[in-house]
Amino acid sequence: MVPLYGIKCAVNLITTHFGDLVAKVCECLLRKGPLTLQATVRFTELTSSQVKNCLLVLIQHNCVQAFVLELSVEHGDAAKANTQYIALFDNIIHRWRFNKFLTIVSQNLDKQCVDLLEALLQHGRLTLKQMSDRAKSTQNEGDDVILDAVQEAVIKLLNAHFIERCPASEPVITNPTKQEVSARKRAAKSAKIFEEQETLEQRVVEAAAPSEALRFLLVAQTEPAADGGKDETNSSIVTPGEKRKRDALESETEYGAADEQVVLWRVNFEEFIRRLRHKACVENVKTRLDDGAVTVLKAMLEATRSTEKKVKTDNSVPLSLNSIYEEVIKSEEGRNITFDRVRAALIQLSCPPFVIAANESYSIDFKKIIELAQNEEVESIVLKRYGRDAYRMFRLLSNSGHLLETDKIADATFVEKKETPKILYKLWKDDYLQMEKLQVTGAKRLSQFLLWKVNKNILREHVLNEMFHAALNLVQRVAFELEPEKEMLNIPRDKLINRQRKVRLLLESSHMKLDDGIMLFHDF
């Protein structure tokens, strides 16, 4: 579920980048959910032409995905289908992180790759020809040289999974029948398995995604043969994966793989968020353990990154000790580490359980690392906002995981019993705690006790909403500081510009740090 202020942030982003009209359509989809074209026209009170153009802009920049929803009909009747549009909230918020994405590419690849990624971030989707034409307009070299350079940059970006083929334009989604839903519930109940409900947005994104054989595949074709057919000697298949993808390319033509000039490419946000997640895990472990343990963790992340199927994976694939050591010595800082030191570092990482050891294999416990980082973030907020006494009480309740009575909290945290209820009420009022009243009937009178606990799932959603609220305030403050009307103040122009620059850098730096917290609670 998208937080209220998350929607407001997304709408503000779209307004800044594309204007009020496009933002109106986007806000309608974010608040109402998936809608047909006719329903969007009705809710926005815009003309059909205006809504179409706005949807095209949002689709071009990967903020909206069209899909065909087939409504299953009972008793063998024909299924009903209609095209709907769904806003991709995560992709909209990723527009905040374009500078972070460019920094990652600049640290791993050359300037040509950075320029190419910047073009894709700016334009949303581009074909290979459009990338080449853009490069020609900024360089004074020959066409063939530029085309080769662009293709080489595209190959590097594909090998790193920084870009991917665009999804299908209108994937087909089928709603399960009542009988299918009931059967799934019975099966899950009988197996006693908790199955997280897959959202419609996740189903649409999954259905639209190209197959793994095509997703990171580039086919470069040169001139045709003399007989008018394809010259196989002048065709090359460049793939970051296995050679078997050649067969998949021939069989799957729905993505236009036969003509690479019309295949659309876009930035693969998933890979960037995965790398930022890994970076956050390393930073969190770095505050607890020594450099040797951090180096081993980095090596394990590097070795298992390509096997992760989704960003929010709980555990990495298991690695043997030999495989880990082999990866460690690939880095400059790892060449000084001995085999025994790697073994000792893995023991360090096992307590707290950042790494799970089983049958001489080791896997990273992403879930544990992220949870610890989230707990620390919330505790730091409580400490800054409510003081040290409140921090001790909150930490006690957070670690206990169950209801505690007021007097017990006071005794455990060494806070005066008169002050304890006041602090707990304040935390409860701001939705950081949950309270339950327990009435006990004694021999002479009725006694009432107040019990307190921390519900981490509800609390994380509350903190995330607060973070989006703070981020929106920062963005609006930056816009206010840069308003043209401020030039009319009785301040020399050079001093005004210098002040605006300092304020903007400060606010944008604060926003980037706040976005790290948003990613921790929403994306990681």
Side-chain angles (χ1 to χ4, degrees):
M1 184 179 175
V2 179
L4 173 62
Y5 279 100
I7 292 176
K8 292 184 177 182
C9 284
V11 174
N12 180 272
L13 262 171
I14 298 299
T15 304
T16 304
H17 293 179
F18 305 114
D20 294 335
L21 210 61
V22 177
K24 189 173 185 179
V25 173
C26 184
E27 183 175 12
C28 180
L29 293 174
L30 284 168
R31 293 189 182 278
K32 301 286 186 182
L35 294 173
T36 62
L37 177 63
Q38 295 78 10
T40 310
V41 170
R42 186 170 69 254
F43 285 123
T44 58
E45 298 181 349
L46 300 174
T47 65
S48 179
S49 176
Q50 286 175 320
V51 172
K52 279 182 183 178
N53 290 332
C54 292
L55 287 171
L56 287 172
V57 169
L58 291 167
I59 291 170
Q60 171 69 24
H61 289 273
N62 309 300
C63 299
V64 163
Q65 174 68 51
F67 66 99
V68 176
L69 182 64
E70 273 193 357
L71 302 175
S72 300
V73 181
E74 310 295 336
H75 308 301
D77 295 336
K80 298 178 182 178
N82 54 15
T83 300
Q84 298 191 24
Y85 301 88
I86 187 169
L88 305 177
F89 173 79
D90 289 350
N91 285 7
I92 297 171
I93 295 300
H94 289 333
R95 301 185 69 81
W96 270 343
R97 299 157 188 158
F98 284 179
N99 288 334
K100 292 179 181 178
F101 298 165
L102 289 169
T103 300
I104 291 173
V105 175
S106 66
Q107 291 170 348
N108 291 274
L109 301 174
D110 55 35
K111 188 177 183 302
Q112 182 80 39
C113 296
V114 175
D115 292 341
L116 201 57
L117 188 87
E118 189 174 7
L120 285 168
L121 290 171
Q122 182 181 350
H123 299 287
R125 303 178 178 198
L126 292 173
T127 63
L128 191 61
K129 183 177 184 304
Q130 288 172 328
M131 296 182 212
S132 302
D133 291 344
R134 187 179 184 276
K136 289 174 189 175
S137 65
T138 58
Q139 300 177 24
N140 296 322
E141 300 178 11
D143 290 356
D144 291 340
V145 175
I146 292 173
L147 180 60
D148 290 343
V150 169
Q151 285 189 354
E152 185 180 349
V154 169
I155 292 165
K156 290 178 181 177
L157 289 167
L158 285 170
N159 286 337
H161 289 188
F162 288 144
I163 65 173
E164 63 181 355
R165 289 180 182 239
C166 286
S169 57
E170 291 186 7
V172 178
I173 305 294
T174 305
N175 264 355
T177 62
K178 292 180 181 179
Q179 287 83 355
E180 289 172 339
V181 172
S182 301
R184 278 185 205 168
K185 286 182 179 178
R186 284 195 301 270
K189 190 174 180 180
S190 62
K192 295 184 180 180
I193 297 172
F194 173 74
E195 204 173 281
E196 189 175 346
Q197 189 73 20
E198 190 178 32
T199 64
L200 179 60
E201 180 180 340
Q202 290 171 332
R203 291 175 59 207
V204 170
V205 170
E206 186 178 344
S211 66
E212 285 300 313
L214 280 173
R215 189 178 176 189
F216 305 108
L217 181 67
L218 173 67
V219 180
Q221 292 181 351
T222 55
E223 297 177 3
D227 60 357
K230 293 180 182 176
D231 187 355
E232 294 298 330
T233 62
N234 290 333
S235 298
S236 62
I237 296 184
V238 183
T239 172
E242 298 79 6
K243 198 171 179 181
R244 60 181 172 75
K245 293 179 180 177
R246 181 189 294 267
D247 297 332
L249 177 70
E250 294 173 358
S251 63
E252 299 197 37
T253 58
E254 59 181 313
Y255 296 100
D259 185 3
E260 199 64 27
Q261 296 300 312
V262 298
V263 171
L264 285 167
W265 302 91
R266 69 173 187 177
V267 175
N268 179 20
F269 294 138
E270 185 180 284
E271 179 63 24
F272 286 104
I273 297 300
R274 179 180 291 111
R275 289 181 183 245
L276 289 170
R277 186 183 195 232
H278 289 181
K279 181 183 176 183
C281 289
V282 171
E283 293 297 325
N284 186 261
V285 172
K286 190 182 289 186
T287 61
R288 303 166 185 273
L289 303 176
D290 59 29
D291 293 341
V294 172
T295 301
V296 171
L297 181 67
K298 284 182 181 177
M300 293 179 71
L301 289 168
E302 193 66 33
T304 59
R305 180 182 293 123
S306 60
T307 61
E308 291 182 29
K309 299 300 181 185
K310 58 181 182 178
V311 174
K312 292 184 180 182
T313 184
D314 289 344
N315 303 303
S316 69
V317 296
L319 293 172
S320 66
L321 183 58
N322 289 327
S323 300
I324 295 170
Y325 183 70
E326 187 179 337
E327 190 66 37
V328 167
I329 60 176
K330 288 181 182 178
S331 63
E332 187 176 345
E333 64 268 22
R335 294 188 188 111
N336 297 324
I337 299 179
T338 64
F339 190 83
D340 288 339
R341 180 67 188 89
V342 171
R343 190 193 300 274
L346 288 168
I347 294 172
Q348 276 185 285
L349 288 164
S350 299
C351 186
F354 297 137
V355 167
I356 302 170
N359 300 323
E360 295 299 319
S361 295
Y362 302 87
S363 59
I364 302 168
D365 191 346
F366 288 114
K367 187 176 181 181
K368 182 66 175 180
I369 298 174
I370 296 300
E371 279 183 357
L372 284 173
Q374 289 174 341
N375 292 342
E376 287 183 353
E377 185 69 27
V378 176
E379 287 168 7
S380 69
I381 293 171
V382 172
L383 177 61
K384 291 174 185 176
R385 191 177 295 180
Y386 304 100
R388 187 156 295 279
D389 287 345
Y391 164 76
R392 290 203 299 269
M393 293 181 194
F394 179 84
R395 185 175 172 81
L396 172 70
L397 290 167
S398 179
N399 291 335
S400 69
H402 56 79
L403 291 163
L404 287 177
E405 198 265 327
T406 308
D407 288 343
K408 287 186 178 179
I409 296 171
D411 294 337
T413 56
F414 303 104
V415 178
E416 289 188 15
K417 293 191 176 182
K418 289 183 180 179
E419 294 297 319
T420 302
K422 296 177 184 177
I423 297 171
L424 291 170
Y425 266 118
K426 203 169 186 179
L427 289 167
W428 170 73
K429 187 178 178 182
D430 291 343
D431 296 325
Y432 280 81
L433 295 180
Q434 284 190 317
M435 177 182 67
E436 291 186 17
K437 293 180 180 179
L438 178 65
Q439 292 183 340
V440 179
T441 305
K444 296 181 179 179
R445 60 190 180 89
L446 183 68
S447 301
Q448 180 173 283
F449 297 92
L450 295 180
L451 305 176
W452 311 86
K453 70 175 291 188
V454 173
N455 187 319
K456 291 185 178 180
N457 292 330
I458 295 175
L459 179 59
R460 284 166 188 159
E461 291 178 7
H462 172 69
V463 170
L464 179 62
N465 192 50
E466 284 189 334
M467 287 181 170
F468 274 122
H469 191 181
L472 180 61
N473 288 341
L474 280 172
V475 170
Q476 290 174 340
R477 179 61 188 271
V478 171
F480 171 75
E481 289 293 336
L482 300 178
E483 280 180 1
E485 289 78 5
K486 295 189 74 62
E487 296 180 9
M488 299 172 64
L489 295 173
N490 191 20
I491 301 175
R493 182 170 176 78
D494 58 339
K495 288 186 178 180
L496 179 64
I497 292 173
N498 189 40
R499 179 188 176 279
Q500 285 181 333
R501 186 184 297 114
K502 288 181 179 178
V503 171
R504 181 176 182 177
L505 285 173
L506 178 62
L507 293 174
E508 288 183 347
S509 173
S510 300
H511 183 269
M512 287 187 71
K513 290 179 181 177
L514 188 56
D515 183 51
D516 290 340
I518 290 173
M519 285 193 292
L520 179 64
F521 285 90
H522 180 70
D523 298 282
F524 296 166

